[in-house]
Amino acid sequence: MSEVLREGRAVLQSPSAIPVSVLVAGIAIIAIRCLSVALQIHELGFEELRNFLHRSAQAWDSTLIFIASQLLFFIELRCAIALMCGKNWGRVGYALSQLVVVIYMSVASMGWVYPEIFSISGDSGTHIIHQLIVQKLPELFIILLLFIPASSRHFFRQK
């Protein structure tokens, strides 16, 4: 906010200077994260949300994983804003955060890590991996939008 007041201009560039693939990816990251929180709150309701928070605070390991998930949420939002500003670390940070999420969810879903707060239930390992891939397909498309098109690569190279 101080940059806007000091320099009299917006932090983000004009939308015409940002490639469409980068703009779509940044907006998609923000929309997916905000919608997932809104849908989760709506699905759980106030009482279940309170119970979930209470259960997460029962043990240190569950609390740490819950806090890490909230930190990861804000890191992903910050990466989305940074990549729309043309910062290369934004797209790399988002890709790394998704890698961390996939690794944790696969390990927790297989039952190798005890606090299985964020896990996928399934009959077998192949079913769990299939569900994980299907669930993470939108994020994979976002990463492809950030790394594959020539306009995206050029946009991040010029900054």
Side-chain angles (χ1 to χ4, degrees):
M1 184 73 179
S2 63
E3 290 179 22
V4 174
L5 295 175
R6 195 173 335 128
E7 298 176 15
R9 63 178 179 84
V11 177
L12 291 177
Q13 298 175 357
S14 68
S16 62
I18 302 173
V20 172
S21 58
V22 174
L23 193 61
V24 167
I27 292 171
I29 293 169
I30 294 169
I32 287 172
R33 295 300 163 254
C34 293
L35 278 174
S36 67
V37 169
L39 289 173
Q40 191 70 33
I41 290 171
H42 175 53
E43 183 178 332
L44 290 176
F46 178 72
E47 194 62 34
E48 267 311 302
L49 181 65
R50 200 172 64 95
N51 288 338
F52 173 72
L53 293 174
H54 180 70
R55 282 190 310 266
S56 295
Q58 292 298 315
W60 279 104
D61 48 2
S62 298
T63 304
L64 289 177
I65 290 173
F66 182 72
I67 291 171
S69 71
Q70 299 306 307
L71 183 63
L72 191 64
F73 172 80
F74 290 114
I75 288 171
E76 288 175 347
L77 289 180
R78 178 64 179 115
C79 287
I81 293 169
L83 66 89
M84 286 193 290
C85 289
K87 309 276 192 241
N88 189 40
W89 65 264
R91 71 178 181 154
V92 173
Y94 181 72
L96 289 176
S97 70
Q98 288 306 307
L99 181 66
V100 167
V101 168
V102 167
I103 289 171
Y104 174 77
M105 286 184 72
S106 60
V107 168
S109 298
M110 297 293 181
W112 298 338
V113 173
Y114 168 63
E116 300 157 344
I117 294 177
F118 303 104
S119 64
I120 299 171
S121 59
D123 301 333
S124 63
T126 56
H127 184 259
I128 291 171
I129 297 298
H130 178 269
Q131 288 294 98
L132 181 62
I133 291 170
V134 168
Q135 187 176 2
K136 288 298 177 183
L137 210 52
E139 283 83 3
L140 177 63
F141 288 143
I142 290 171
I143 291 171
L144 291 176
L145 280 174
L146 293 173
F147 285 94
I148 299 297
S151 61
S152 296
R153 291 190 313 253
H154 179 69
F155 178 67
F156 290 110
R157 227 179 288 133
Q158 70 185 5
K159 296 292 174 178

